Amino acid sequence: MPPVYLDHAATTPLDPEVLEAMLPFLRENFGNPSSLHRVGQRARGAIDEARARVASLLGARDAEIVFTGSGTEADNLAIVGATVAASSRADGTARSDLVASTLEHHAVLNSAKSLDRSAHRVTLARATEAGEVDLDDLEDLIDHTTALVSVMFANNETGVIQPIEEVVRLARSRGALVHTDAVQATGKVRIDVGQLGVDLLTASAHKIHGPKGVGALFVRSGTRMTALIRGGSQERNRRAGTENVAGIVGFGKAAELAQARLARDSVRVAGLRDDLERALLAAGHGAVTVNGSPDRRICSTTSLSFAGVPGEDLLIALDLGGIAVSTGAACAAGSPEPSHVLKAMGLSRDRVNGSLRFSLGRGTTKEEIDRTVKAVMVAVERMRRKDAQPRGVRGG
Ligand SMILES: Cc1ncc(COP(=O)(O)O)c(C=O)c1O
């Protein structure tokens, strides 16, 4: 039986149209976009076109898109670049502190950690059990020293969409800039940076059927940034280094496809996600719970906890049956760490340990969902039976 891939939050397969768009830039169109001759200018033109496509997906102006080497790099540029720039203003308006949330991806949390502690205060707002940033706590943390507030658009483990409009309102009322990591939301939710009012927004190509190793940071015109990678004047001096032309072209094509398919795909994928959830909740008889508010989520993701069943073991059992899912846990050097997101939401240890993330994509089918439901039910049942046996009988 063909494998079932339900880990699109980790990465998505490259769309064949994206590959087709990229290939000429890995072969005959190999020019350096900074070269003045026509070979170079062909590559420059392709980058300009890709920039316009990514800008269109986000409701930004072309000049406000900075291509980076990943979503992680775009997060680093936003967190460090904007905070450092705001703290070095010489006109008496300098602000040096960063406020983020405990729900953030490690790309944001570890960028924040890298800021010099003697120069920048970093604080993290608590999360609610529903998986949203606690707005009261956030409000308490933002003050006249806050340079930047960073709250993700949608969480990568639960899919919960954050109240970004309120975050923007709170930050603006105290004169701080706002960044949102929209890596999981891009292409799944209509995003218009103008309406949203954020100053900085991160996107990543490989989450929308584009290539790995390409990200983008929206930087609202007039926002001061300190570049992290120094060298040539590429990306208007905000990100030096010869551009990954094929990757950027692929990102542009993926953005164009995502924009064209967003309305249709998001409704279909949400329907399948809901089918999966309903079937597993019904079969679980109260032993299966949804992590995070089911009412405010991107279409593709659900985090479920299976009481008394280690998520890791369930993942392995499903993998052996040809179904790829993920635990909320990030594995560091072979030692699985419990999910910082689910812990931040205040979930019990049992719920955190028994969690599994299913993330669907535009290619997911009803047959795959039905097969997954059956496989999960069989695996959970088998594990519970094994657990109920007296110690001496176990094995094999
Ligand atoms: C919310 C979020 N931010 C940032 C990243 C990092 O993006 P990239 O893999 O392009 O470095 C990810 C990737 O999983 C993510 O889910």
mmCIF file of all heavy atoms in Angstrom, residues 356-392:
data_model
loop_
_atom_site.group_PDB
_atom_site.id
_atom_site.type_symbol
_atom_site.label_atom_id
_atom_site.label_comp_id
_atom_site.label_asym_id
_atom_site.label_seq_id
_atom_site.Cartn_x
_atom_site.Cartn_y
_atom_site.Cartn_z
ATOM 1 N N LEU A 356 -0.032 13.469 19.626
ATOM 2 C CA LEU A 356 0.380 13.187 18.249
ATOM 3 C C LEU A 356 -0.176 14.290 17.356
ATOM 4 O O LEU A 356 -1.317 14.709 17.546
ATOM 5 C CB LEU A 356 -0.231 11.841 17.837
ATOM 6 C CG LEU A 356 0.607 10.902 16.982
ATOM 7 C CD1 LEU A 356 1.972 10.664 17.593
ATOM 8 C CD2 LEU A 356 -0.125 9.563 16.834
ATOM 9 N N ARG A 357 0.650 14.761 16.413
ATOM 10 C CA ARG A 357 0.178 15.796 15.486
ATOM 11 C C ARG A 357 -0.069 15.167 14.116
ATOM 12 O O ARG A 357 0.813 14.505 13.570
ATOM 13 C CB ARG A 357 1.235 16.898 15.353
ATOM 14 C CG ARG A 357 0.834 17.969 14.325
ATOM 15 C CD ARG A 357 1.938 18.997 14.145
ATOM 16 N NE ARG A 357 3.103 18.440 13.450
ATOM 17 C CZ ARG A 357 4.213 19.107 13.217
ATOM 18 N NH1 ARG A 357 4.334 20.349 13.649
ATOM 19 N NH2 ARG A 357 5.226 18.546 12.579
ATOM 20 N N PHE A 358 -1.260 15.395 13.599
ATOM 21 C CA PHE A 358 -1.602 14.978 12.248
ATOM 22 C C PHE A 358 -1.697 16.253 11.430
ATOM 23 O O PHE A 358 -2.466 17.152 11.773
ATOM 24 C CB PHE A 358 -2.968 14.277 12.213
ATOM 25 C CG PHE A 358 -3.040 13.044 13.079
ATOM 26 C CD1 PHE A 358 -3.281 13.127 14.437
ATOM 27 C CD2 PHE A 358 -2.872 11.781 12.519
ATOM 28 C CE1 PHE A 358 -3.354 11.988 15.228
ATOM 29 C CE2 PHE A 358 -2.944 10.637 13.304
ATOM 30 C CZ PHE A 358 -3.182 10.744 14.666
ATOM 31 N N SER A 359 -0.916 16.357 10.360
ATOM 32 C CA SER A 359 -1.035 17.569 9.537
ATOM 33 C C SER A 359 -1.216 17.168 8.066
ATOM 34 O O SER A 359 -0.391 16.485 7.484
ATOM 35 C CB SER A 359 0.146 18.520 9.751
ATOM 36 O OG SER A 359 1.369 17.853 9.629
ATOM 37 N N LEU A 360 -2.362 17.586 7.548
ATOM 38 C CA LEU A 360 -2.801 17.189 6.207
ATOM 39 C C LEU A 360 -2.275 18.177 5.164
ATOM 40 O O LEU A 360 -1.863 19.298 5.502
ATOM 41 C CB LEU A 360 -4.322 17.154 6.154
ATOM 42 C CG LEU A 360 -5.050 16.030 6.904
ATOM 43 C CD1 LEU A 360 -4.797 16.074 8.397
ATOM 44 C CD2 LEU A 360 -6.560 16.117 6.661
ATOM 45 N N GLY A 361 -2.371 17.761 3.908
ATOM 46 C CA GLY A 361 -1.927 18.644 2.831
ATOM 47 C C GLY A 361 -2.898 18.608 1.670
ATOM 48 O O GLY A 361 -3.898 17.888 1.706
ATOM 49 N N ARG A 362 -2.541 19.363 0.631
ATOM 50 C CA ARG A 362 -3.478 19.471 -0.494
ATOM 51 C C ARG A 362 -3.662 18.146 -1.238
ATOM 52 O O ARG A 362 -4.638 17.959 -1.940
ATOM 53 C CB ARG A 362 -3.061 20.605 -1.436
ATOM 54 C CG ARG A 362 -1.859 20.369 -2.284
ATOM 55 C CD ARG A 362 -1.734 21.401 -3.422
ATOM 56 N NE ARG A 362 -1.453 22.744 -2.990
ATOM 57 C CZ ARG A 362 -0.448 23.502 -3.458
ATOM 58 N NH1 ARG A 362 0.369 23.026 -4.374
ATOM 59 N NH2 ARG A 362 -0.272 24.722 -3.022
ATOM 60 N N GLY A 363 -2.725 17.207 -1.052
ATOM 61 C CA GLY A 363 -2.831 15.911 -1.730
ATOM 62 C C GLY A 363 -3.526 14.853 -0.881
ATOM 63 O O GLY A 363 -3.752 13.734 -1.346
ATOM 64 N N THR A 364 -3.868 15.163 0.360
ATOM 65 C CA THR A 364 -4.474 14.164 1.260
ATOM 66 C C THR A 364 -5.859 13.754 0.744
ATOM 67 O O THR A 364 -6.633 14.604 0.297
ATOM 68 C CB THR A 364 -4.593 14.741 2.690
ATOM 69 O OG1 THR A 364 -3.303 15.192 3.110
ATOM 70 C CG2 THR A 364 -5.109 13.698 3.670
ATOM 71 N N THR A 365 -6.149 12.446 0.820
ATOM 72 C CA THR A 365 -7.442 11.949 0.324
ATOM 73 C C THR A 365 -8.281 11.360 1.466
ATOM 74 O O THR A 365 -7.749 11.041 2.529
ATOM 75 C CB THR A 365 -7.243 10.824 -0.724
ATOM 76 O OG1 THR A 365 -6.589 9.723 -0.061
ATOM 77 C CG2 THR A 365 -6.405 11.284 -1.900
ATOM 78 N N LYS A 366 -9.568 11.172 1.198
ATOM 79 C CA LYS A 366 -10.485 10.585 2.184
ATOM 80 C C LYS A 366 -10.055 9.149 2.511
ATOM 81 O O LYS A 366 -10.104 8.717 3.670
ATOM 82 C CB LYS A 366 -11.916 10.614 1.604
ATOM 83 C CG LYS A 366 -12.959 10.015 2.509
ATOM 84 C CD LYS A 366 -13.352 11.001 3.613
ATOM 85 C CE LYS A 366 -14.536 10.501 4.427
ATOM 86 N NZ LYS A 366 -14.152 9.769 5.635
ATOM 87 N N GLU A 367 -9.586 8.425 1.488
ATOM 88 C CA GLU A 367 -9.137 7.041 1.705
ATOM 89 C C GLU A 367 -7.973 7.017 2.694
ATOM 90 O O GLU A 367 -7.899 6.149 3.564
ATOM 91 C CB GLU A 367 -8.676 6.387 0.379
ATOM 92 C CG GLU A 367 -9.780 6.119 -0.632
ATOM 93 C CD GLU A 367 -10.404 7.393 -1.200
ATOM 94 O OE1 GLU A 367 -9.667 8.369 -1.468
ATOM 95 O OE2 GLU A 367 -11.648 7.439 -1.339
ATOM 96 N N GLU A 368 -7.079 7.987 2.548
ATOM 97 C CA GLU A 368 -5.930 8.040 3.460
ATOM 98 C C GLU A 368 -6.383 8.316 4.893
ATOM 99 O O GLU A 368 -5.833 7.767 5.847
ATOM 100 C CB GLU A 368 -4.949 9.128 3.000
ATOM 101 C CG GLU A 368 -4.221 8.765 1.712
ATOM 102 C CD GLU A 368 -3.242 9.838 1.258
ATOM 103 O OE1 GLU A 368 -3.466 11.026 1.557
ATOM 104 O OE2 GLU A 368 -2.252 9.478 0.602
ATOM 105 N N ILE A 369 -7.381 9.177 5.020
ATOM 106 C CA ILE A 369 -7.889 9.504 6.363
ATOM 107 C C ILE A 369 -8.538 8.261 6.976
ATOM 108 O O ILE A 369 -8.286 7.915 8.135
ATOM 109 C CB ILE A 369 -8.893 10.686 6.287
ATOM 110 C CG1 ILE A 369 -8.172 11.967 5.857
ATOM 111 C CG2 ILE A 369 -9.625 10.892 7.610
ATOM 112 C CD1 ILE A 369 -7.052 12.428 6.777
ATOM 113 N N ASP A 370 -9.349 7.548 6.177
ATOM 114 C CA ASP A 370 -10.021 6.346 6.686
ATOM 115 C C ASP A 370 -8.987 5.297 7.116
ATOM 116 O O ASP A 370 -9.126 4.657 8.151
ATOM 117 C CB ASP A 370 -10.948 5.757 5.607
ATOM 118 C CG ASP A 370 -12.118 6.696 5.310
ATOM 119 O OD1 ASP A 370 -12.368 7.609 6.133
ATOM 120 O OD2 ASP A 370 -12.772 6.536 4.261
ATOM 121 N N ARG A 371 -7.959 5.151 6.291
ATOM 122 C CA ARG A 371 -6.906 4.169 6.620
ATOM 123 C C ARG A 371 -6.177 4.571 7.911
ATOM 124 O O ARG A 371 -5.864 3.728 8.750
ATOM 125 C CB ARG A 371 -5.921 4.127 5.445
ATOM 126 C CG ARG A 371 -5.121 2.853 5.409
ATOM 127 C CD ARG A 371 -4.274 2.827 4.166
ATOM 128 N NE ARG A 371 -2.892 2.573 4.530
ATOM 129 C CZ ARG A 371 -1.857 2.840 3.747
ATOM 130 N NH1 ARG A 371 -2.056 3.378 2.564
ATOM 131 N NH2 ARG A 371 -0.636 2.566 4.144
ATOM 132 N N THR A 372 -5.951 5.871 8.063
ATOM 133 C CA THR A 372 -5.258 6.361 9.261
ATOM 134 C C THR A 372 -6.104 6.113 10.504
ATOM 135 O O THR A 372 -5.592 5.653 11.536
ATOM 136 C CB THR A 372 -4.957 7.878 9.109
ATOM 137 O OG1 THR A 372 -4.191 8.057 7.923
ATOM 138 C CG2 THR A 372 -4.189 8.416 10.298
ATOM 139 N N VAL A 373 -7.393 6.400 10.407
ATOM 140 C CA VAL A 373 -8.280 6.198 11.563
ATOM 141 C C VAL A 373 -8.205 4.735 12.013
ATOM 142 O O VAL A 373 -8.009 4.447 13.200
ATOM 143 C CB VAL A 373 -9.739 6.597 11.210
ATOM 144 C CG1 VAL A 373 -10.705 6.148 12.298
ATOM 145 C CG2 VAL A 373 -9.842 8.100 10.985
ATOM 146 N N LYS A 374 -8.328 3.832 11.060
ATOM 147 C CA LYS A 374 -8.291 2.397 11.402
ATOM 148 C C LYS A 374 -6.951 2.034 12.045
ATOM 149 O O LYS A 374 -6.910 1.351 13.067
ATOM 150 C CB LYS A 374 -8.465 1.555 10.133
ATOM 151 C CG LYS A 374 -9.914 1.394 9.737
ATOM 152 C CD LYS A 374 -10.110 0.176 8.832
ATOM 153 C CE LYS A 374 -11.442 0.323 8.120
ATOM 154 N NZ LYS A 374 -11.362 0.795 6.751
ATOM 155 N N ALA A 375 -5.866 2.494 11.438
ATOM 156 C CA ALA A 375 -4.531 2.135 11.934
ATOM 157 C C ALA A 375 -4.316 2.675 13.351
ATOM 158 O O ALA A 375 -3.751 1.983 14.206
ATOM 159 C CB ALA A 375 -3.462 2.685 10.991
ATOM 160 N N VAL A 376 -4.794 3.885 13.614
ATOM 161 C CA VAL A 376 -4.620 4.473 14.954
ATOM 162 C C VAL A 376 -5.428 3.654 15.961
ATOM 163 O O VAL A 376 -4.926 3.299 17.042
ATOM 164 C CB VAL A 376 -5.066 5.956 14.988
ATOM 165 C CG1 VAL A 376 -5.062 6.493 16.417
ATOM 166 C CG2 VAL A 376 -4.166 6.815 14.105
ATOM 167 N N MET A 377 -6.661 3.326 15.600
ATOM 168 C CA MET A 377 -7.512 2.587 16.532
ATOM 169 C C MET A 377 -6.898 1.225 16.876
ATOM 170 O O MET A 377 -6.851 0.831 18.036
ATOM 171 C CB MET A 377 -8.921 2.426 15.940
ATOM 172 C CG MET A 377 -9.742 3.696 16.129
ATOM 173 S SD MET A 377 -11.126 3.895 14.990
ATOM 174 C CE MET A 377 -11.957 2.369 15.122
ATOM 175 N N VAL A 378 -6.396 0.533 15.849
ATOM 176 C CA VAL A 378 -5.782 -0.791 16.079
ATOM 177 C C VAL A 378 -4.540 -0.649 16.969
ATOM 178 O O VAL A 378 -4.356 -1.390 17.938
ATOM 179 C CB VAL A 378 -5.415 -1.452 14.721
ATOM 180 C CG1 VAL A 378 -4.532 -2.674 14.924
ATOM 181 C CG2 VAL A 378 -6.680 -1.819 13.952
ATOM 182 N N ALA A 379 -3.696 0.341 16.658
ATOM 183 C CA ALA A 379 -2.442 0.508 17.412
ATOM 184 C C ALA A 379 -2.724 0.881 18.868
ATOM 185 O O ALA A 379 -2.109 0.334 19.791
ATOM 186 C CB ALA A 379 -1.571 1.571 16.748
ATOM 187 N N VAL A 380 -3.674 1.790 19.083
ATOM 188 C CA VAL A 380 -3.985 2.236 20.457
ATOM 189 C C VAL A 380 -4.544 1.053 21.251
ATOM 190 O O VAL A 380 -4.137 0.802 22.390
ATOM 191 C CB VAL A 380 -4.987 3.422 20.434
ATOM 192 C CG1 VAL A 380 -5.565 3.684 21.811
ATOM 193 C CG2 VAL A 380 -4.300 4.681 19.902
ATOM 194 N N GLU A 381 -5.448 0.326 20.622
ATOM 195 C CA GLU A 381 -6.069 -0.836 21.281
ATOM 196 C C GLU A 381 -4.997 -1.846 21.688
ATOM 197 O O GLU A 381 -4.961 -2.334 22.811
ATOM 198 C CB GLU A 381 -7.078 -1.444 20.290
ATOM 199 C CG GLU A 381 -7.875 -2.615 20.808
ATOM 200 C CD GLU A 381 -8.641 -2.280 22.088
ATOM 201 O OE1 GLU A 381 -9.035 -1.115 22.276
ATOM 202 O OE2 GLU A 381 -8.813 -3.202 22.901
ATOM 203 N N ARG A 382 -4.073 -2.126 20.761
ATOM 204 C CA ARG A 382 -3.014 -3.106 21.027
ATOM 205 C C ARG A 382 -2.120 -2.628 22.185
ATOM 206 O O ARG A 382 -1.765 -3.392 23.070
ATOM 207 C CB ARG A 382 -2.175 -3.309 19.764
ATOM 208 C CG ARG A 382 -1.232 -4.499 19.887
ATOM 209 C CD ARG A 382 -0.402 -4.718 18.636
ATOM 210 N NE ARG A 382 -1.187 -4.902 17.444
ATOM 211 C CZ ARG A 382 -0.900 -4.345 16.261
ATOM 212 N NH1 ARG A 382 0.139 -3.550 16.143
ATOM 213 N NH2 ARG A 382 -1.648 -4.575 15.211
ATOM 214 N N MET A 383 -1.799 -1.332 22.187
ATOM 215 C CA MET A 383 -0.916 -0.809 23.244
ATOM 216 C C MET A 383 -1.603 -0.839 24.597
ATOM 217 O O MET A 383 -0.964 -1.127 25.607
ATOM 218 C CB MET A 383 -0.526 0.624 22.911
ATOM 219 C CG MET A 383 0.521 0.670 21.843
ATOM 220 S SD MET A 383 0.591 2.337 21.221
ATOM 221 C CE MET A 383 2.147 2.408 20.671
ATOM 222 N N ARG A 384 -2.894 -0.531 24.601
ATOM 223 C CA ARG A 384 -3.619 -0.529 25.881
ATOM 224 C C ARG A 384 -3.715 -1.959 26.430
ATOM 225 O O ARG A 384 -3.561 -2.182 27.620
ATOM 226 C CB ARG A 384 -5.019 0.057 25.688
ATOM 227 C CG ARG A 384 -4.985 1.545 25.398
ATOM 228 C CD ARG A 384 -6.053 2.298 26.166
ATOM 229 N NE ARG A 384 -5.831 3.739 26.030
ATOM 230 C CZ ARG A 384 -6.491 4.513 25.188
ATOM 231 N NH1 ARG A 384 -7.432 4.006 24.418
ATOM 232 N NH2 ARG A 384 -6.221 5.807 25.117
ATOM 233 N N ARG A 385 -3.958 -2.921 25.510
ATOM 234 C CA ARG A 385 -4.062 -4.330 25.948
ATOM 235 C C ARG A 385 -2.748 -4.792 26.544
ATOM 236 O O ARG A 385 -2.698 -5.414 27.593
ATOM 237 C CB ARG A 385 -4.417 -5.211 24.751
ATOM 238 C CG ARG A 385 -5.905 -5.569 24.674
ATOM 239 C CD ARG A 385 -6.128 -6.904 23.973
ATOM 240 N NE ARG A 385 -5.330 -7.075 22.788
ATOM 241 C CZ ARG A 385 -5.703 -6.699 21.558
ATOM 242 N NH1 ARG A 385 -6.862 -6.120 21.379
ATOM 243 N NH2 ARG A 385 -4.919 -6.915 20.525
ATOM 244 N N LYS A 386 -1.663 -4.427 25.874
ATOM 245 C CA LYS A 386 -0.328 -4.818 26.315
ATOM 246 C C LYS A 386 -0.042 -4.222 27.687
ATOM 247 O O LYS A 386 0.505 -4.874 28.572
ATOM 248 C CB LYS A 386 0.683 -4.288 25.295
ATOM 249 C CG LYS A 386 2.031 -4.940 25.340
ATOM 250 C CD LYS A 386 2.797 -4.552 24.100
ATOM 251 C CE LYS A 386 4.275 -4.542 24.367
ATOM 252 N NZ LYS A 386 5.008 -3.894 23.308
ATOM 253 N N ASP A 387 -0.476 -2.983 27.865
ATOM 254 C CA ASP A 387 -0.252 -2.267 29.110
ATOM 255 C C ASP A 387 -1.026 -2.896 30.256
ATOM 256 O O ASP A 387 -0.587 -2.864 31.401
ATOM 257 C CB ASP A 387 -0.694 -0.810 28.924
ATOM 258 C CG ASP A 387 0.263 0.125 29.613
ATOM 259 O OD1 ASP A 387 1.469 -0.145 29.525
ATOM 260 O OD2 ASP A 387 -0.207 1.094 30.227
ATOM 261 N N ALA A 388 -2.199 -3.460 29.912
ATOM 262 C CA ALA A 388 -3.069 -4.018 30.958
ATOM 263 C C ALA A 388 -2.582 -5.394 31.414
ATOM 264 O O ALA A 388 -2.980 -5.882 32.457
ATOM 265 C CB ALA A 388 -4.500 -4.124 30.426
ATOM 266 N N GLN A 389 -1.688 -6.033 30.622
ATOM 267 C CA GLN A 389 -1.225 -7.374 30.984
ATOM 268 C C GLN A 389 -0.312 -7.315 32.203
ATOM 269 O O GLN A 389 0.422 -6.338 32.377
ATOM 270 C CB GLN A 389 -0.416 -7.980 29.830
ATOM 271 C CG GLN A 389 -1.308 -8.509 28.715
ATOM 272 C CD GLN A 389 -0.465 -8.978 27.539
ATOM 273 O OE1 GLN A 389 0.754 -9.060 27.627
ATOM 274 N NE2 GLN A 389 -1.119 -9.287 26.462
ATOM 275 N N PRO A 390 -0.309 -8.416 33.018
ATOM 276 C CA PRO A 390 0.628 -8.445 34.141
ATOM 277 C C PRO A 390 2.067 -8.444 33.627
ATOM 278 O O PRO A 390 2.329 -8.955 32.525
ATOM 279 C CB PRO A 390 0.296 -9.754 34.855
ATOM 280 C CG PRO A 390 -0.711 -10.470 34.044
ATOM 281 C CD PRO A 390 -1.173 -9.578 32.956
ATOM 282 N N ARG A 391 2.983 -7.864 34.404
ATOM 283 C CA ARG A 391 4.360 -7.658 33.974
ATOM 284 C C ARG A 391 5.005 -8.867 33.298
ATOM 285 O O ARG A 391 5.578 -8.759 32.230
ATOM 286 C CB ARG A 391 5.238 -7.256 35.172
ATOM 287 C CG ARG A 391 4.937 -5.878 35.637
ATOM 288 C CD ARG A 391 6.019 -4.914 35.194
ATOM 289 N NE ARG A 391 5.422 -3.590 35.135
ATOM 290 C CZ ARG A 391 5.816 -2.630 34.312
ATOM 291 N NH1 ARG A 391 6.781 -2.856 33.461
ATOM 292 N NH2 ARG A 391 5.248 -1.462 34.302
ATOM 293 N N GLY A 392 4.902 -10.072 33.961
ATOM 294 C CA GLY A 392 5.605 -11.267 33.486
ATOM 295 C C GLY A 392 5.178 -11.697 32.089
ATOM 296 O O GLY A 392 5.937 -12.343 31.386
#
